[in-house]
Amino acid sequence: MSFKSPENFHNKLGFVFHAMLALPLAAFVYLFLELRHRELQPALDDNAVIFILTYLLPVLGAGAVIGGYFIFKKDLRGVNQQESLRDKLEAYYTASLKLYGFIELGSLIFVGGLYLTTSAAFILFYVLLLFFMSLNRPTPQKYVNDLRLTEKEREVILYKGSFEEAESTGPEEN
C-alpha cells in the first residue's frame, strides 16, 4: 500500500480500525438489547456445552488478542529497520492490520459466545476488549511512540507534513 502523505496514512488506518470496531459492535449491541429486553435464550440447548463454551471461548478470544499484540510488537522491530518514513508507515500499516485482524477475531469470538450462551461473562470480556482497542487506536502520537523516528519525522507525523519534508534532512537518529 502506498500513501500520498502521512495524513493519508492516518485516514486509511483509522478507517480500517473503525470499521473493524463497528461491525462486531453492531452485532454485540443487537444481541445485548435482545438479551435485555426480550429475554433472548441461548442458541444452544445443552447445558454442558454452554458450560464448556463459557470457559473455552473467552480463553480463545483473549488468546487471539494477546497473540495479535505480541505479533504486532515483533513486527515493530522490522518496521523500525525501514529507512524512509514512507516505508516505515507502510510496514506499520501492515503490522497494524494484523493486530486489528486478531482483535476482530477475538471480538467475533466474544459476540458469538454471547449469542450461543447468553452468558454475562461475554459482555464483560467484550467491554475489556473495547478498552484494549481504545488504548491501541491509531493516533499520530501512538505512531510516534511505536516507531523510532528522527525529530524531523516526528514533526511531519504530528503536524501533518509531507514525506518530502521528512526526507529533506540527513539521517539524524534520536
Side-chain angles (χ1 to χ4, degrees), residues 1-5 7-16 82 84-95 97 163:
M1 169 136 291
S2 184
F3 302 105
K4 298 174 188 166
S5 68
E7 187 174 4
N8 178 252
F9 160 80
H10 176 69
N11 290 338
K12 286 182 180 181
L13 188 59
F15 176 78
V16 170
Q82 301 295 323
S84 72
L85 179 60
R86 185 185 310 260
D87 292 340
K88 287 177 186 176
L89 293 181
E90 288 175 4
Y92 187 85
Y93 182 84
T94 303
L97 288 183
F163 287 123

Side-chain angles (χ1 to χ4, degrees), residues 41-47 49-51 53 57 112-113 115-118:
Q41 298 301 314
L44 301 173
D45 291 330
D46 189 351
N47 285 339
V49 173
I50 290 174
F51 179 79
L53 290 178
L57 291 179
Y115 173 73
L116 294 172
T117 68
T118 66

